[in-house]
Amino acid sequence: MKIAFLNLCHTDPELVARCARRLCKDPDFDMYVHVDAKQDIEPFKEALKGIRGVYFTPNRHKVYWGGYNAIHASFELLRSALNSGVHYDYYVMMQNLDYPIKSNDEIKKFFVDNKGKEFIRGCPIAGTSDWEFSRKYRLFYMKDNPYGKASNTNPIKLLITIAQMIMSITTISCNGTIHEKGQRFDLYYGCAQWAVTDECARYLDDFEKTHPKFNRKMKIMQFPDEEYFHTVVHNSKFKTSCFKYDEPIARWLVNWRNLTYFEFPKEVSVMTMKDYQKLLSVPDLFCRKVRSDISKDLLDELDKENL
């Protein structure tokens, strides 16, 4: 069982290295790393130097909060693994501050026992009257810029906001379905961490290259990394291979976990030692978020438990 872990990174190189050392102890596990092009890559190269099975993507993208460049970066990771010459059974998408809470043996056994299943749930949001979801496709978003988290009084952010409001006139009637090449793609939503088989990964790779209209719509949606892959998979033959599918609509991202445990009261909580016993009891393979400094005691215990 060969597994490629795809790690989308922008901070805390020491944590990324610690995660890589844990996972890549298994010769069947490799990690591919995309470092946000806004960040200096050298601290990551230094931290990850000498760890077997770690590969950096040849191309990098500037990833902004809520922007489509996260999709470009994700495909950079996926294609680096697909084009490596190594046949992987699974591709596991991770996000920087994720960390394994199960041992390598347990992770491998999980994928062996579930071979052929796709681990990417999809919340059906097409045609919903719930504005929490419909605004994702009925409004026009321009997020690939450094002003996403700037103050609303920032003049450039204000101009972007006005432009989005004006352009939303062109998208407000969208019902959450994309039509292209004689097919309809009802939109789905879910977590940005997922795991897919080699066959599904190759389907995703080909789909992105051959569906420009779909891509254009995704570029102007809210948080496309929480919709792109889920929509493609749940409108394909791979839907019925998903470990869960045809689920009813439900709010909040924590209800759509795949293999990564996290808590989201107002923002994703950083886990510390107080969360240790809870993490031992959950079935998930990974947790989010942890940091190399304030989560150190927790990470030490997890490593002690799982090495």
Side-chain angles (χ1 to χ4, degrees):
M1 177 62 66
K2 296 280 288 184
I3 301 175
F5 296 93
L6 314 176
N7 207 345
L8 201 60
C9 301
H10 69 282
T11 189
D12 204 342
E14 291 305 320
L15 178 70
V16 178
R18 184 168 187 160
C19 182
R21 280 193 292 271
R22 262 285 304 274
L23 291 171
C24 294
K25 279 182 177 293
D26 190 310
D28 289 329
F29 292 178
D30 293 332
M31 181 178 287
Y32 292 81
V33 177
H34 176 281
V35 178
D36 187 338
K38 302 193 305 298
Q39 308 301 322
D40 182 2
I41 197 172
E42 291 307 316
F44 290 88
K45 286 186 173 180
E46 183 62 28
L48 290 156
K49 184 170 61 179
I51 303 176
R52 186 218 63 80
V54 173
Y55 307 96
F56 288 91
T57 60
N59 303 306
R60 298 165 62 201
H61 299 270
K62 292 183 178 181
V63 179
Y64 296 100
W65 178 73
Y68 189 78
N69 278 356
I71 302 300
H72 289 309
S74 297
F75 275 111
E76 217 38 78
L77 284 165
L78 190 63
R79 287 169 180 150
S80 292
L82 286 171
N83 298 329
S84 66
V86 178
H87 173 83
Y88 294 105
D89 298 285
Y90 273 95
Y91 301 80
V92 180
M93 186 62 70
M94 304 177 69
Q95 286 194 340
N96 202 149
L97 302 179
D98 302 347
Y99 202 77
I101 55 178
K102 297 289 191 289
S103 70
N104 285 358
D105 287 344
E106 289 173 304
I107 292 171
K108 182 180 282 186
K109 184 178 186 302
F110 175 87
F111 284 109
V112 168
D113 290 347
N114 292 281
K115 190 172 183 179
K117 291 183 181 177
E118 314 297 344
F119 295 92
I120 179 166
R121 297 167 69 192
C123 173
I125 61 174
T128 180
S129 59
D130 187 343
W131 184 245
E132 175 69 21
F133 290 124
S134 63
R135 67 190 173 124
K136 294 177 179 296
Y137 51 81
R138 295 188 68 193
L139 297 182
F140 190 104
Y141 294 90
M142 301 164 62
K143 294 293 188 181
D144 283 307
N145 61 74
Y147 301 99
K149 293 190 174 182
S151 166
N152 289 331
T153 60
N154 181 290
I156 297 178
K157 182 171 182 178
L158 184 59
L159 287 173
I160 292 171
T161 300
I162 292 169
Q164 289 179 148
M165 291 171 65
I166 294 170
M167 291 304 295
S168 290
I169 296 171
T170 67
T171 57
I172 195 67
S173 63
C174 179
N175 67 354
T177 298
I178 303 170
H179 295 271
E180 186 171 16
K181 297 189 174 184
Q183 293 177 276
R184 61 175 286 158
F185 301 97
D186 293 331
L187 292 171
Y188 285 80
Y189 155 87
C191 289
Q193 296 97 337
W194 40 260
V196 296
T197 61
D198 181 68
E199 185 183 4
C200 185
R202 293 182 187 280
Y203 177 80
L204 288 166
D205 174 29
D206 181 69
F207 186 97
E208 192 274 339
K209 295 173 181 174
T210 56
H211 289 76
K213 182 180 178 183
F214 183 94
N215 296 340
R216 285 195 299 272
K217 177 59 180 175
M218 284 286 166
K219 283 179 182 177
I220 58 172
M221 284 182 55
Q222 184 190 45
F223 306 126
D225 61 341
E226 296 174 356
E227 291 117 12
Y228 191 108
F229 302 98
H230 317 74
T231 297
V232 176
V233 171
H234 284 267
N235 283 279
S236 75
K237 69 176 185 178
F238 297 99
K239 172 182 178 177
T240 54
S241 296
C242 290
F243 78 116
K244 293 183 180 180
Y245 63 94
D246 284 343
E247 297 181 85
I249 191 170
R251 279 191 177 194
W252 316 133
L253 203 58
V254 291
N255 294 316
W256 295 95
R257 301 196 325 258
N258 295 307
L259 302 174
T260 303
Y261 182 82
F262 64 96
E263 296 176 353
F264 201 158
K266 290 186 178 179
E267 59 182 26
V268 179
S269 304
V270 177
M271 307 237 167
T272 62
M273 192 59 199
K274 66 178 173 55
D275 300 294
Y276 176 63
Q277 291 298 328
K278 174 172 50 189
L279 291 178
L280 290 184
S281 68
V282 300
D284 308 71
L285 303 182
F286 307 92
C287 68
R288 170 174 181 79
K289 296 176 177 180
V290 293
R291 296 186 182 276
S292 59
D293 46 10
I294 63 175
S295 306
K296 183 180 182 302
D297 290 345
L298 171 64
L299 298 173
D300 288 345
E301 285 301 314
L302 288 173
D303 285 351
K304 189 189 305 180
E305 185 77 25
N306 293 312
L307 283 178

